[in-house]
Amino acid sequence: MSLTYPPGTARRRRLGLTAGTAALLAVALSACATTAPTKSSGGSATIEVVAAENFWGSLAAQLGGSHVKVTSIINNPDADPHDYEPTAADGREIASAKLALINGVGYDAWATKLADANPSSSRTTLTVGDLVGAKDGDNPHRWYNPGNVRQVIDQITADYKKIDPADASFFDTQHDTVINTNLKTYFDTISEIKTNYSGTPVGASESIFAMLSPALGLNLLTPAAFLTDISEGSDPSAKDKASIDNQIKNKQIKVYVYNSQNATPDVQQQVNEAKAAGIPVSTITETLTPAGASFQDWQVAQFDALKQALGQATGK
């Protein structure tokens, strides 16, 4: 099911928790504040990991193997992480975690608030935005940046080794398996697209594709302001919409890529115009689709669909 938003409706609510939710969480967290997670040592205990979103949770689970238990709070393809209303159970999960994985960059401010509400010297919090040097206002979709994905993989492994130093060699082995085996097709497909389609002009519906396109060697022509406006739930300017209409009408772009979980009326109109003009349309999603898919299976399936669209458009 696609998430649709009427024109002018703010999609990204980067506000604090509602008063009722905050009060509920405060009660739940106060009950957890004196309970420290069990220390993992020499494989005697499992590392409890909580990820705000399942794309990071999938990687954390693969990197930790049998030595971790990973809970992903956002694990439904129809849920919007930006607008998620956390529950008391979410607060308890983060409060008792040995490792909390948060995307940051304003994407999941609710998760940061939950972690801050219950500080613990025995919990490691990995905020991806901080790790990669991104700040609020930057593109938050860091899992669509292959370089950032590699950074996160390295840091999760380092955090596991810090939490459970007795099993450091196990985590090193898991790290190498994830990079060289589990994600081999992911990295290989990125290289293949870049080799075969470098410089191909494309259009996109929002900023979710803005970091992936250069990694794939594609030339993203959509105005940056339009990409941000759609991502932020703002009304794009008439000038930007006219520019995209012209790109489609004159076939200046070869493929149009859109986030089906944010199909606003403006985006849906562009999708329809692209199809009418004979421009292949490729779909990506914000969270793991289907739910339960691994990070790499989800990404590679999207890459394969994009390859097919690019091949159709260029004849390669």
Side-chain angles (χ1 to χ4, degrees), residues 256-306:
Y256 183 87
V257 181
Y258 87 108
N259 176 5
S260 62
Q261 290 177 317
N262 188 24
T264 69
D266 285 323
V267 169
Q268 194 58 59
Q269 180 180 344
Q270 290 172 10
V271 169
N272 294 337
E273 290 175 352
K275 290 179 177 178
I279 296 173
V281 173
S282 189
T283 302
I284 59 176
T285 59
E286 199 145 334
T287 54
L288 298 184
T289 305
S294 68
F295 173 86
Q296 61 270 22
D297 287 348
W298 166 54
Q299 289 285 301
V300 170
Q302 296 184 138
F303 291 160
D304 286 344
L306 179 58

Side-chain angles (χ1 to χ4, degrees), residues 213 227 240:
S213 54
L227 298 173
D240 285 343

Side-chain angles (χ1 to χ4, degrees), residues 7-236:
T9 299
R11 176 173 177 250
R12 315 299 202 214
R13 290 181 296 159
R14 296 181 180 174
L15 305 176
L17 305 177
T18 62
T21 303
L24 179 64
L25 291 174
V27 173
L29 290 172
S30 65
C32 302
T34 58
T35 304
T38 303
K39 180 175 178 59
S40 176
S41 176
S44 62
T46 301
I47 301 175
E48 298 286 340
V49 182
V50 176
E53 298 88 13
N54 59 4
F55 36 81
W56 296 129
S58 173
L59 293 172
Q62 295 176 65
L63 289 164
S66 61
H67 289 237
V68 305
K69 178 186 175 183
V70 178
T71 300
S72 294
I73 295 175
I74 300 293
N75 57 16
N76 185 332
D78 293 330
D80 186 347
H82 314 81
D83 293 341
Y84 182 71
E85 291 287 349
T87 66
D90 298 334
R92 289 192 293 270
E93 291 279 6
I94 289 180
S96 62
K98 291 292 288 183
L99 176 63
L101 298 175
I102 299 172
N103 187 77
V105 205
Y107 187 76
D108 47 11
W110 54 269
T112 299
K113 293 179 188 299
L114 291 181
D116 290 346
N118 189 53
S120 172
S121 60
S122 62
R123 183 185 64 236
T124 298
T125 299
L126 170 53
T127 301
V128 174
D130 294 343
L131 174 67
V132 303
K135 60 185 184 301
D136 281 3
D138 289 344
N139 192 327
H141 306 101
R142 313 314 297 192
W143 62 101
Y144 271 103
N145 181 321
N148 288 172
V149 169
R150 179 59 192 263
Q151 286 178 273
V152 172
I153 288 172
D154 292 346
Q155 188 59 51
I156 290 174
T157 297
D159 287 339
Y160 284 163
K161 292 164 65 176
K162 181 182 71 174
I163 295 167
D164 181 8
D167 289 316
S169 62
F170 172 84
F171 295 123
D172 282 335
T173 299
Q174 288 296 110
H175 173 276
D176 292 345
T177 298
V178 169
I179 293 294
N180 299 323
T181 302
N182 298 14
L183 267 66
K184 183 178 187 304
T185 303
Y186 166 80
F187 289 117
D188 286 351
T189 307
I190 290 171
S191 297
E192 179 186 352
I193 293 174
K194 188 169 186 177
T195 297
N196 293 334
Y197 301 105
S198 182
T200 302
V202 298
S205 66
E206 63 160 282
S207 65
I208 195 171
F209 195 63
M211 286 184 291
L212 181 58
S213 54
L216 297 174
L218 303 177
N219 182 16
L220 182 58
L221 298 185
T222 307
F226 179 92
L227 298 173
T228 300
D229 286 340
I230 294 298
S231 292
E232 297 294 335
S234 303
D235 287 329

